[in-house]
Amino acid sequence: MELEFPKSQLRRLVKDSLNNAPETCKDATGTLLERLKRMQELHVNKDTMQAFSESTKIFIHYVTYLANEFTRESKRLTISGEDVLKALEHVGLKEMEPLFLEKLERTCIHPRGKTA
């Protein structure tokens, strides 16, 4: 069974990433308002979105595989957040740790089934 990342969420993620790109990556001409208007008008073609979708799936599979390997090394059966952090560090994304921990804390299920 082939799983697909929801297209609307992927498109929003791509546009948000472009909007949040460092200033050195953006066009140095025009005012901030003009740049924001251009970003809102940005269109990403179908082939590009398909490439992002496939890349996202491959990345998730790879990080999951690595996290699972760290889990097995620890002689456990359940992947933990720590295993995912080790996997992200292994692929050179240690700087993602604060964001990951923030998201993990927001979605953690507490003993009574309530979320944070």
Side-chain angles (χ1 to χ4, degrees):
M1 183 167 105
E2 188 75 19
L3 297 175
E4 290 291 322
F5 198 83
K7 290 178 185 175
S8 61
Q9 288 183 349
L10 186 59
R11 186 172 306 280
R12 190 176 318 120
L13 180 64
V14 169
K15 285 188 173 190
D16 286 349
S17 295
L18 289 170
N19 284 331
N20 294 322
E23 287 300 317
T24 55
C25 297
K26 294 181 181 176
D27 184 359
T29 63
T31 66
L32 179 60
L33 183 58
E34 289 170 346
R35 283 185 283 176
L36 288 174
K37 285 180 182 176
R38 281 191 301 235
M39 288 298 185
Q40 289 173 348
E41 296 168 3
L42 176 73
H43 295 284
V44 181
N45 73 30
K46 185 178 179 180
D47 292 338
T48 302
M49 290 308 299
Q50 185 63 35
F52 276 122
S53 179
E54 290 300 316
S55 299
T56 301
K57 287 191 288 188
I58 291 167
F59 177 75
I60 290 170
H61 284 290
Y62 185 55
V63 170
T64 303
Y65 167 79
L66 290 172
N68 191 45
E69 288 299 308
F70 290 123
T71 302
R72 287 182 183 182
E73 287 174 8
S74 299
K75 298 183 185 344
R76 291 179 286 111
L77 298 175
T78 304
I79 295 173
S80 70
E82 188 65 35
D83 299 318
V84 176
L85 285 173
K86 287 179 187 175
L88 289 172
E89 183 176 358
H90 184 80
V91 297
L93 293 173
K94 182 152 178 67
E95 66 273 6
M96 295 287 293
E97 184 174 334
L99 179 63
F100 175 77
L101 291 173
E102 175 190 327
K103 300 289 185 186
L104 183 64
E105 186 162 314
R106 269 199 248 159
T107 58
C108 261
I109 298 176
H110 295 281
R112 294 189 181 158
K114 296 180 182 177
T115 57

